[in-house]
Amino acid sequence: MATVSPSWNYTLHLPHDPRAPGIARGTLRLILAAHEMTELTPTAELLAAELLANSHCHTRGPYALRLRSAEPGRLRVAVWDTDPHVPPGFSTVPAPPPPPDAEHGRGLPLVRACADTWGATELQELGKLLWAECGGGAAGW
């Protein structure tokens, strides 16, 4: 049995298609099973679902799911899309909570509540990357 787990990452490019988020979540489950990280599946799938839904609902172009593990038992779930605008739910000053009867606006606050750490990177003309991390180990990689 290996004592050091090598880092790994996967990127799944997705078309703007209503089936794409479901395909991405299934891919995430398979990757976590292959790397024996199934204990992270519920949280990672929730994080991915919310980030993917945000990209699918608020952009018209393609998007991509990126999974990365640089430390044993820790996972970064990231979604890239073509819109350079970082949503208020990921800014340094969070948006106010949606009204109780609102049909939208709960996804990114849910990501912030369930992730160990989260963030966004503006890529100017290339879009943005929203990410969230879960699992054991130290944050900040």
Side-chain angles (χ1 to χ4, degrees):
M1 181 155 129
T3 58
V4 176
S5 177
S7 63
W8 53 263
N9 69 70
Y10 296 87
T11 301
L12 177 63
H13 296 273
L14 300 156
H16 195 270
D17 182 295
R19 297 168 290 197
I23 291 167
R25 290 190 311 274
T27 302
L28 176 139
R29 288 190 299 270
L30 288 171
I31 290 169
L32 291 181
H35 287 280
E36 299 178 355
M37 296 176 72
T38 55
E39 71 281 358
L40 296 180
T41 300
T43 302
E45 191 170 2
L46 181 142
L47 296 172
E50 294 302 337
L51 294 175
L52 289 161
N54 186 69
S55 288
H56 185 77
C57 290
H58 299 290
T59 67
R60 298 202 189 286
Y63 44 99
L65 172 68
R66 182 167 188 221
L67 304 173
R68 176 180 164 209
S69 178
E71 296 177 20
R74 188 160 186 83
L75 180 70
R76 177 176 282 195
V77 176
V79 173
W80 164 85
D81 65 46
T82 56
D83 181 2
H85 178 275
V86 174
F90 262 63
S91 66
T92 55
V93 178
D101 59 344
E103 293 184 22
H104 301 283
R106 289 181 176 72
L108 295 182
L110 185 59
V111 168
R112 291 173 58 143
C114 294
D116 296 329
T117 185
W118 49 267
T121 304
E122 295 178 51
L123 304 171
Q124 298 173 12
E125 297 87 31
L126 300 175
K128 69 176 170 301
L129 184 74
L130 300 181
W131 57 269
E133 294 180 1
C134 61
W141 45 276

